[in-house]
Amino acid sequence: MGRFITNLLSLGVDSAGEMNQMVHLRNESYGSMKVHARSRRNHMEFDLAITGASLLVGADFDVIVDGAVGIRDGRIAWLGRSSELGEHDPRQTIDAAHTAVLPSFVNAHTHLPMSRFRGLADDVTLDEFISRTTGAEQEELTRARVEGAARSAAIESILGGTTAALDMYPFDQEVALGASSVGLAALTGPTYSRFASPDARDFDQWLIESRRQLESLPLERRLLAPHSAYGLSFEEMCLIGELAAELQARIHVHASESDEEVAQVTQLHGARPIEVLERAGLLGPRTVVAHAVSVNAAEIQRLADTGTSVAHCPWSNLKLGCGVAPVPAMLAAGVNVAIGTDGTVSSPALDVWSAVRLVANVHKGWSHDPQAVSAREALRMATVGGQRAIGRPDAGTLAVGAPAHLQAVRITGPHLESSRNLLASLVYAGRPSDVRHVIADGRIRVFDGELVLEGERMEQ
């Protein structure tokens, strides 16, 4: 079998339309994997069924042993035990024995093309990190390089069970193209700041071009990305807020990443970052604030009252010495909190699995409370919380009617087998290398640990 696996939707189809074939794939550490392709001439209840797995269903991730998922038209059409599939006749079946099937992840704050600059700014302050990365970006980036770096980062992401990312980077359209070429949905849009950038332009012209770009997109893909309150004037932020309100676009913005940033913004604008953003019309249910480390109780309440989501990026915040965001207080106030990795210069990798594990641990140590941010809450942040942050409140769970964004994770490795608590074991010990299959919008994107690309066929 070649490095990349065929698009399974075309498996076994020849010019005569024959589809009665079964392909057996073997992985010595995993057992037999079966993909069945059946005749399109017969009635099909499901486009795809996943069988033989332990399912983590609903918002509480209740476990169904030897479960099955039926998928039709990109959504979950049926959930139950494998033995109950009965007369259902799926077009394809993945035998996912010895795995746990759970929702795929959303990376709620990242800069995908920063994968090009790994190792550029380790063990430095936030200011030095910004200085080094913006300098390198200005010198090296082109549209083609951004698209290529985004594609590479998307491969890393989707192989690790992440099917969507909220991104902020120059040449946003190339970011989206690079990510979508391998099946990662990158929600991104025009990025505004006064920093040196290869995509810099006159601000007024930028707004005109942004309007034209967003008006050509469906509502769910409209996004504007003002970098931060320290990277823009107040007037510029207000103009972005007005355009976002008019076009019903989402907002992706950095805020309160460190005490130093709060002091800088207060000096520039006479108020702390959260208040500045609210005055500029940039908070609300379509906004995701990245970081929110240095926020007080009143600011947390404003985030909750305005319906603003927060992307918690624990790896980046620790690595840059910024601190730990008060996530338990945010959750208690009703703030929707999602999980982000940030870019791979300020974060170890695009590894949401390790970020989930860190979220479920760092707040326990920080607060001296072993019940602060449970394993269930951390997993919910990476799934339900992330989908809600990018405007898909119906996604993020295994539930009938929900969009089919799933990952099947091997649970036979020595770090997961014999678990007494499947959910907790996945959160505290799961790794990207455990991911065997990934489904996005009902389509197979990773099969048996390998990427599935459109238009390619399996070597038989």
Side-chain angles (χ1 to χ4, degrees):
M1 181 174 62
R3 169 168 170 74
F4 296 112
I5 299 189
T6 183
N7 174 0
L8 297 178
L9 291 178
S10 64
L11 180 66
V13 182
D14 62 15
S15 58
E18 296 175 357
M19 292 194 65
N20 256 340
Q21 298 188 31
M22 175 186 293
V23 175
H24 295 266
L25 304 177
R26 179 160 300 277
N27 180 311
E28 294 304 325
S29 63
Y30 186 48
S32 180
M33 302 295 301
K34 303 181 181 67
V35 179
H36 303 264
R38 298 177 183 272
S39 172
R40 293 179 186 266
R41 291 189 292 268
N42 297 331
H43 171 73
M44 300 302 166
E45 178 87 17
F46 306 135
D47 300 317
L48 173 67
I50 303 170
T51 65
S54 294
L55 310 181
L56 275 63
V57 302
D60 290 328
F61 306 109
D62 298 322
V63 178
I64 296 178
V65 178
D66 190 22
V69 183
I71 296 170
R72 182 175 57 229
D73 297 330
R75 292 183 175 266
I76 297 173
W78 184 86
L79 290 165
R81 295 189 181 276
S82 297
S83 60
E84 297 170 347
L85 272 172
E87 63 185 23
H88 298 294
D89 189 19
R91 179 177 300 167
Q92 298 175 298
T93 301
I94 295 179
D95 181 349
H98 311 300
T99 74
V101 172
L102 63 153
S104 59
F105 294 145
V106 175
N107 190 341
H109 174 66
T110 190
H111 312 283
L112 291 171
M114 272 192 185
S115 60
R116 180 180 175 86
F117 301 110
R118 290 179 194 264
L120 177 67
D122 295 323
D123 307 324
V124 299
T125 64
L126 175 60
D127 285 346
E128 179 64 17
F129 157 78
I130 292 173
S131 176
R132 291 192 189 185
T133 54
T134 55
E137 289 165 352
Q138 174 74 359
E139 181 178 341
E140 296 185 29
L141 290 184
T142 63
R143 291 183 183 276
R145 287 174 176 174
V146 165
E147 183 175 345
R151 185 179 190 276
S152 176
I155 292 172
E156 177 186 353
S157 300
I158 204 160
L159 287 174
T162 297
T163 58
L166 183 59
D167 196 80
M168 178 192 295
Y169 213 66
F171 302 130
D172 59 282
Q173 294 177 77
E174 281 69 28
V175 174
L177 283 172
S180 64
S181 70
V182 296
L184 181 75
L187 179 58
T188 187
T191 300
Y192 308 88
S193 79
R194 292 188 170 186
F195 304 135
S197 169
D199 196 23
R201 63 195 82 174
D202 174 78
F203 185 82
D204 292 336
Q205 184 61 33
W206 214 343
L207 284 182
I208 293 171
E209 293 173 7
S210 298
R211 175 188 296 278
R212 186 181 304 119
Q213 177 182 332
L214 266 61
E215 284 177 339
S216 69
L217 297 174
L219 286 178
E220 65 270 16
R221 290 179 54 199
R222 295 181 181 180
L223 180 133
L224 298 172
H227 181 277
S228 60
Y230 61 89
L232 292 162
S233 71
F234 184 71
E235 180 184 4
E236 289 168 340
M237 286 185 281
C238 289
L239 290 171
I240 294 169
E242 291 172 5
L243 182 61
E246 179 185 344
L247 299 181
Q248 299 181 59
R250 308 194 74 77
I251 293 289
H252 183 193
V253 60
H254 299 89
S256 302
E257 190 169 356
S258 67
D259 291 342
E260 291 75 15
E261 180 205 321
V262 171
Q264 181 182 5
V265 170
T266 301
Q267 184 176 13
L268 285 171
H269 300 294
R272 290 165 61 92
I274 299 302
E275 182 178 351
V276 172
L277 294 179
E278 185 173 22
R279 289 179 181 176
L282 293 176
L283 295 188
R286 293 194 299 271
T287 295
V288 176
V289 167
H291 302 299
V293 173
S294 298
V295 290
N296 57 36
E299 290 166 336
I300 291 173
Q301 193 58 53
R302 291 311 299 149
L303 293 170
D305 290 346
T306 57
T308 300
S309 293
V310 168
H312 179 34
C313 305
W315 275 119
S316 176
N317 300 154
L318 290 175
K319 188 180 179 188
L320 291 171
C322 294
V324 177
V327 167
M330 293 182 195
L331 295 175
V335 176
N336 178 58
V337 182
I339 293 177
T341 63
D342 214 337
T344 55
V345 179
S346 62
S347 183
L350 299 169
D351 177 2
V352 178
W353 277 100
S354 71
V356 170
R357 180 165 63 252
L358 184 58
V359 168
N361 280 283
V362 69
H363 297 285
K364 294 175 170 62
W366 190 260
S367 64
H368 303 281
D369 178 3
Q371 295 183 319
V373 187
S374 67
R376 179 173 282 104
E377 287 174 317
L379 186 57
R380 192 177 289 136
M381 288 162 62
T383 54
V384 178
Q387 295 287 0
R388 181 178 171 188
I390 64 173
R392 302 194 72 175
D394 60 337
T397 62
L398 300 192
V400 173
H405 303 299
L406 321 172
Q407 55 181 315
V409 180
R410 179 176 55 191
I411 54 177
T412 55
H415 59 295
L416 286 172
E417 65 185 356
S418 303
S419 171
R420 305 293 181 89
N421 184 328
L422 179 59
L423 185 154
S425 294
L426 288 170
V427 168
Y428 292 120
R431 308 168 183 169
S433 57
D434 297 323
V435 177
R436 307 314 302 162
H437 313 296
V438 178
I439 311 297
D441 283 318
R443 303 169 71 176
I444 300 169
R445 294 301 189 178
V446 174
F447 181 79
D448 201 16
E450 295 197 48
L451 191 66
V452 176
L453 293 181
E454 295 290 338
E456 295 184 336
R457 296 180 60 80
M458 184 179 295
E459 298 172 11
Q460 301 183 39

